[in-house]
Amino acid sequence: MTTAHAGRTSYTPLEVAALYNFPSIHCKDQCIGILELGGGYRPADLQTYFNGLGIPQPNITDVSVGGAANRPTGDPNGPDGEIVLDIEVAAAVTPGAKIAVYFADNSDDGFLNAITTAIHDTRNKPSVISISWGKAEIGWTPQAINAMNQAFRDAAALGVTICCASGDDGSTDRVQDGRYHVDFPASSPYVLACGGTRLESSGSAITQEVVWNEGALGGGATGGGVSDVFDRPDWQTNANVPTSANPERRIGRGVPDWAGNADPATGYQILVDGTRAVLAEQVR
C-alpha cells in the first residue's frame, strides 16, 4: 500500500540513489519484473515524470496474467500510487533496464500466477522481481504459502532475485491478537525481505537514518520479526537473529534482511494520475 503524506522531507529517486552511493552503471541487459494486483498507470504521467528527471523514458512492457490489465483507477492514494511508485523508483535508479509489469487479480491464485509467470517469463527474462504486496503469515492458507514458497525456491535455483516488502504496520502486521507477526511473502527464506527506514540528509550526505516507526503518529512502521512458519535458514546462522518475541521464543527466519528509505515523512516525489505526490513504499 502507498500512503500520501505531508512529508517533512522528500526526495527524487535519483537523490536517494546518490545518498546510498548506488553504482553508476547502465542496465541495458537487465529486466526488472514488478508484480501488481490492481490499478494501473498512465503512460503520459511516466513520460512527464522521466522528462522532469532528465533521464530517458524506460522501456515498459505490460504482461497480462489471467486477463488482468493496466487499468488506472484515477485515485493516486489507491493502487495506482503503488504501481507508479514501483515503476518510477525502479526505472529511475536502473538506467537502461527494461521494466515488465505483471498485472494479476488480487487473489491467492492471481498472486501465485503472477509470481510463476514472472519467474518463467522467457520473453522478458527478469533477473529481479519486485513484490510490494503481502499480508501477515496468519492470513494465508498453508497451501498458498507452500505453493508460493516453492515458486520462490524455483526462482532462487534460476538465479532470479525476489525482493519483497516486509510490511507497513509494525511488528503486529495489523493483526490484533496480542502477538507479533511477520509479513509473507517477505518471510520466505528464498526472497530478499526489504524493511523501511526514515532517511534524513543535508546536501549530499546522510545525517541520520533510523528505523521507520511512526505508528503512533499515523505514519505506519516497518514490519519485521521472526517467522512463525519458516525455520531459521542456514544463511542466517551467524546473523544474530533473536528468538521470537512471542511467548514460545521460537527460533525462525528473521525479517527483514535489509532496509532502506520507506517512511512517508521522508518519501519519494512521484507523479501519479496527473498529481504530484510524496509517497512511500509499503505493503498492500
Side-chain angles (χ1 to χ4, degrees), residues 103-170:
F103 289 97
D105 292 333
N106 192 0
S107 65
D108 287 1
D109 286 344
F111 203 162
L112 177 60
N113 288 339
I115 291 168
T116 56
T117 297
I119 291 171
H120 300 287
D121 185 349
T122 58
R123 180 175 181 180
N124 296 295
K125 300 178 181 178
S127 56
V128 176
I129 297 173
S130 171
I131 301 176
S132 54
W133 301 68
K135 57 187 175 184
E137 289 177 326
I138 197 173
W140 297 92
T141 65
Q143 293 83 357
I145 286 181
N146 289 338
M148 290 187 185
N149 193 57
Q150 181 58 56
F152 296 141
R153 183 175 184 175
D154 293 344
L158 293 170
V160 178
T161 300
I162 311 286
C163 299
C164 298
S166 68
D168 55 15
D169 288 288

Side-chain angles (χ1 to χ4, degrees), residues 7-283:
R8 292 180 289 275
T9 303
S10 63
Y11 303 98
T12 69
L14 298 180
E15 289 170 337
V16 172
L19 289 170
Y20 285 149
N21 295 316
F22 276 26
S24 298
I25 58 175
H26 200 272
C27 305
K28 65 180 181 65
D29 297 324
Q30 300 299 316
C31 175
I32 299 173
I34 300 176
L35 268 59
E36 304 294 358
L37 306 178
Y41 67 90
R42 304 194 313 183
D45 285 341
L46 299 186
Q47 182 176 2
T48 300
Y49 183 77
F50 289 108
N51 285 343
L53 290 180
I55 59 179
Q57 173 85 4
N59 179 1
I60 300 175
T61 299
D62 295 345
V63 181
S64 174
V65 180
N70 176 21
R71 297 188 179 97
T73 65
D75 179 7
N77 292 316
D80 291 0
E82 177 78 29
I83 292 169
V84 171
L85 178 67
D86 290 346
I87 294 171
E88 290 180 348
V89 172
V93 301
T94 55
K98 180 179 180 180
I99 306 294
V101 187
Y102 298 85
F103 289 97
D105 292 333
N106 192 0
S107 65
D108 287 1
D109 286 344
F111 203 162
L112 177 60
N113 288 339
I115 291 168
T116 56
T117 297
I119 291 171
H120 300 287
D121 185 349
T122 58
R123 180 175 181 180
N124 296 295
K125 300 178 181 178
S127 56
V128 176
I129 297 173
S130 171
I131 301 176
S132 54
W133 301 68
K135 57 187 175 184
E137 289 177 326
I138 197 173
W140 297 92
T141 65
Q143 293 83 357
I145 286 181
N146 289 338
M148 290 187 185
N149 193 57
Q150 181 58 56
F152 296 141
R153 183 175 184 175
D154 293 344
L158 293 170
V160 178
T161 300
I162 311 286
C163 299
C164 298
S166 68
D168 55 15
D169 288 288
S171 57
T172 63
D173 207 12
R174 204 180 293 185
V175 180
Q176 304 300 319
D177 64 357
R179 294 175 60 84
Y180 299 102
H181 297 274
V182 297
D183 206 84
F184 181 82
S187 64
S188 167
Y190 298 105
V191 309
L192 184 66
C194 308
T197 66
R198 174 192 172 110
L199 180 69
E200 298 180 15
S201 66
S202 177
S204 59
I206 295 174
T207 56
Q208 184 179 41
E209 187 169 19
V210 297
V211 65
W212 166 32
N213 186 12
E214 294 198 46
L217 301 176
T222 185
V226 174
S227 173
D228 286 328
V229 174
F230 299 102
D231 293 335
R232 182 180 298 170
D234 290 343
W235 51 267
Q236 283 192 331
T237 299
N238 298 318
N240 298 317
V241 176
T243 58
S244 171
N246 287 320
E248 300 85 0
R249 311 299 296 179
R250 187 177 187 278
I251 298 174
R253 191 267 202 260
V255 177
D257 299 309
W258 75 281
N261 185 45
D263 188 335
T266 58
Y268 296 82
Q269 300 165 18
I270 70 163
L271 178 64
V272 52
D273 292 327
T275 301
R276 294 196 178 275
V278 175
L279 301 183
E281 185 66 69
Q282 303 181 26
V283 170

